[in-house]
Every structure is written in structure tokens, then in C-alpha cells.
Amino acid sequence: MWPDDRLANLLGIEHPIIQAPMAGASTPEMAAAVANSGCLGSLGCALMSPEQYQQTFNATRALTNGALNMNFFCHAEPGDDEDRNKRAVASLQPFYDELDLGEMPDAKPVHFPFDMEMAEAVIATNPAVVSFHFGLPDADIVERLKETGLTILSSATTAAEARDLAARGCDAIIAQGWEAGGHHGYYLEGNDAAVGTMALVPQLVDEVDVPVIAAGGIADGRGIAASFALGAAGVQIGTAFLTTRETGIPPVHQEVLLKSQGSDTATTRAFSGRPARGVINRYIREMMAEEMNLPDFPIMNTLSGPLRKTSGAAGSPDFVAMWSGQAVGLNRQSDVTSLVKRLISETEIVFRKLGNEI
Ligand SMILES: Cc1cc2nc3c(=O)[nH]c(=O)nc-3n(C[C@H](O)[C@H](O)[C@H](O)COP(=O)(O)O)c2cc1C
């Protein structure tokens, strides 16, 4: 049924649909159910140590023999700006006092960019695919991954990033539009541009020879069919999976998503130091004035971590990073297998209506 089989062939899957890797939200059960449905199941591993990675991979592999994608961050090391750190600590202190959280952690990163040690851990587990957000690792690491036969993906938010990723060995490129939930994957200087998926996908298709994967605001068969019409060879979908039985997000985040619309979301730097899209809540609103004064990613993640965790556990939306894309109004409660089946059958109906002319 698919008008383009390049991505499915590259990834060894039946349907060119990728469940987005979502650090803190994707689970072994989610990725395995997607892989068992003939699509690419992904795990967001950016916050894991090599040991945690190994355990998570094994837990997933125990549930599926299908294609898996393990995902990591390649962010630049943060600067150490004492003034910004102090200012952020002062802004967060009233919230810490209100939630009785005790001492704030030191303003230091607690998760790190992908390195050779993690590359060796990935190679030892041999997933089909390894993907990255915020660019690619250094050339020697890319070379090492590629010589073992791993397929490499990364996100581009502009034509310049797509060209750069293709030149550095990416096998397919995710065109991540501004509608997308979670972190905006831009990484080239000055590229924090707000290009939507509809405009971005055909421009990247014209820019690079490798398959382009559309991401951002895709949540049903209409969005998937539209992506193929724009020249994409596949789609990557995140937010729609957040309200499945297999989700890793707290119940309060799920409840909020089920009653939200795209207009309830905004991008904010307040949780991590980098722009990411989520449902607007008290924390985003009250930190708005500080947006441009925060410590670099991921230092801000360290500082906001206890607030996010405690708020989620207490069932309050006030301080949770409720990541969400603009298509959130289409979210339904489901399980992963039913969601994937629905996405495929809806797409087939749209293709048929259009007479397979895409
Ligand atoms: C909760 C959440 C967490 C995310 N975490 C990651 C991540 O760890 N790595 C990554 O490459 N992308 C991450 N993303 C972005 C997705 O890969 C993808 O670009 C996005 O979900 C697509 O837009 P949609 O949410 O509108 O479907 C995340 C998205 C969400 C919603």
C-alpha cells in the first residue's frame, strides 16, 4: 500500500512508521509492541548510563525480535555561567520551598552527550538503528557505528542541517517541524527557526538524496498520507503514543493531554535550557520572563528535575514537563497495537480515496 518503500527497505520493516524515541516516555513495552506490528519501535536512551541502556535494551529484546531504534542526544557541552546558574537557582527556590524539596542539586549536567563508551554498548546489543537528536556524534564514532552495519538517523529542522547530516553519513533524515512535541532538534548555530512540517518536508526532500522522514503534528492517517504527498518516505510519531497503555508518562500528564488542543501548547526553555514543546502549565507561565537567562542545556534539566518528579508523583500538572505536539487534540486512549493498526488502516483509506496517485 505504501507509495515509497525506500525507508521500509532500509530499516527492514513492513510499514514506514517510526514510533518516536521519547526519553522518559517511551518504554520497552511500547517499542516492542510497535516492532511487533511491523514498524520501527524506538527507545529514548539519552538519560541512561551504559548499564541502564543495556538493561533497557535486553528488556525490550525479550519482548520482540523486530526492528529497534536506540536514540541518544549529541548536544554541545554546556558553558559554566555562574551568573546564569545563580539566577536560575534564585528563580526556582520559591518553588522548591513550596514543594518542600530541600536542597537544590548542584548546577551541573547529570546526563551527557553520546560518546565512544556508549557507542560500544550500542554495538554490543546490535539494534537495527541508532538515532540522534541535536546533530551527530564525532566522525570517529559515526564511522565506528557504520562499520558494524548500524543504520543512522538524526533530526534536521532546516535545509542546512539536512545537508550537514547527509554529508556526515546519516542514512535517512527526520524532518522535524515546529509542531513537534518535546525538544526541537536544531543544532547548527542560529538555526532555531520555526519551520512547520508542511513547509519543511518538501524542502528537505529537494535538498538531500537520502529518504526523509516527516515528524511533528502527525497523529492519524490523514497526516501520514499528507507526509507521503510531500515526498516523505516515512513518518515519525511521538505525541499520539503518549496516551497508550504502554506509556511511561505520569497519569496527570496523560489526563492533561486527553483534554488539550494544539493551542494549549508552547515551546519553552524553562525545563531544560533548550526549546521544547509542551502543554502550558503554571511553571512555564511563571518562568516566562526568565526564558533567555537560563543555564545551558542540560544544566537546567538538573535544576528542574526534582520539581518535575515530585509534581508528577503528587498528581499535580503545575511543574511537570508535559511534552506535547500541536496535534494533541487527536490523542485518544488506546494500546500501542490498536493505535498502530488504526494508523495503517486510516492511511490506506486516504490513499484509496486519493486513488493511489501520490
Ligand atoms: C514526550 C516526548 C519526548 C521526546 N524525546 C525525544 C528524545 O528523547 N529523542 C528524540 O530524538 N526526540 C524526542 N522527541 C521528539 C520526537 O522524536 C518527535 O520529533 C516528535 O514527537 C514528533 O512530533 P509529534 O510529537 O507531534 O508526533 C520527544 C517527543 C515527545 C513528545
Side-chain angles (χ1 to χ4, degrees):
M1 68 175 266
W2 300 99
D4 189 324
D5 60 5
R6 285 175 303 154
L7 189 74
N9 291 341
L10 176 70
L11 304 179
I13 52 179
E14 195 183 341
H15 306 288
I17 298 176
I18 303 175
Q19 162 253 318
M22 297 182 281
S26 46
T27 60
E29 292 73 23
M30 179 186 288
V34 172
N36 287 336
S37 304
C39 303
L40 186 66
S42 309
L43 280 157
C45 306
L47 312 178
M48 296 177 193
S49 65
E51 294 71 36
Q52 289 167 326
Y53 164 78
Q54 179 88 47
Q55 284 164 7
T56 308
F57 181 88
N58 292 344
T60 315
R61 195 40 100 212
L63 302 172
T64 184
N65 287 321
L68 294 175
N69 164 30
M70 309 308 269
N71 172 270
F72 301 89
F73 290 168
C74 296
H75 54 279
E77 295 282 3
D80 188 15
D81 187 326
E82 242 338 275
D83 290 344
R84 281 179 182 251
N85 293 350
K86 275 196 191 135
R87 193 171 166 148
V89 168
S91 304
L92 297 196
Q93 193 60 56
F95 303 139
Y96 268 68
D97 293 344
E98 183 183 324
L99 300 193
D100 207 8
L101 289 180
E103 201 138 309
M104 210 176 297
D106 289 343
K108 288 198 295 228
V110 288
H111 58 92
F112 302 93
F114 190 80
D115 59 9
M116 198 55 108
E117 189 192 354
M118 193 59 106
E120 293 301 341
V122 171
I123 289 165
T125 56
N126 192 29
V129 182
V130 58
S131 72
F132 298 101
H133 217 36
F134 316 133
L136 280 174
D138 290 342
D140 58 329
I141 301 182
V142 172
E143 200 178 314
R144 174 82 185 107
L145 294 170
K146 283 187 85 92
E147 77 189 13
T148 68
L150 282 168
T151 296
I152 298 182
L153 313 179
S154 185
S155 297
T157 63
T158 62
E161 286 178 348
R163 269 197 312 275
D164 179 61
L165 293 176
R168 288 162 67 193
C170 235
D171 297 297
I173 290 171
I174 302 148
Q176 191 202 30
W178 190 241
E179 299 91 324
H183 280 93
H184 194 45
Y186 80 93
Y187 66 96
L188 288 181
E189 202 65 36
N191 259 2
D192 180 13
V195 181
T197 308
M198 184 94 171
L200 184 66
V201 171
Q203 293 185 76
L204 297 204
V205 167
D206 287 351
E207 200 64 38
V208 293
D209 292 330
V210 295
V212 170
I213 300 155
I218 302 164
D220 65 12
R222 293 169 295 185
I224 296 173
S227 302
F228 280 87
L230 295 171
V235 293
Q236 176 160 304
I237 299 177
T239 301
F241 284 91
L242 292 177
T243 48
T244 57
R245 188 162 45 80
E246 294 86 344
T247 189
I249 63 172
V252 65
H253 185 173
Q254 296 175 54
E255 286 155 24
V256 167
L257 292 179
L258 289 168
K259 52 186 193 209
S260 294
Q261 293 289 318
S263 50
D264 298 319
T265 73
T267 58
T268 178
R269 288 180 160 81
F271 286 109
S272 72
R274 281 190 63 112
R277 182 175 297 282
V279 178
I280 299 165
N281 62 359
R282 179 180 155 203
Y283 178 76
I284 294 178
R285 256 188 250 109
E286 294 191 13
M287 288 294 287
M288 203 89 87
E290 291 300 313
E291 277 281 303
M292 303 313 288
N293 305 316
L294 301 167
D296 288 346
F297 179 93
I299 292 175
M300 200 56 203
N301 251 347
T302 309
L303 299 180
S304 70
L307 287 169
R308 291 184 270 126
K309 206 169 158 202
T310 304
S311 185
S316 161
D318 284 357
F319 299 96
V320 180
M322 295 187 290
W323 301 141
S324 167
Q326 288 185 337
V328 63
L330 299 171
N331 267 60
R332 303 283 173 266
Q333 253 174 334
S334 180
D335 60 84
V336 166
T337 307
S338 313
L339 170 61
V340 173
K341 262 195 202 145
R342 177 165 69 76
L343 292 173
I344 295 167
S345 63
E346 285 174 356
T347 309
E348 200 170 9
I349 290 167
V350 181
F351 282 157
R352 247 196 255 121
K353 265 196 208 156
L354 298 175
N356 268 344
E357 290 301 321
I358 287 173

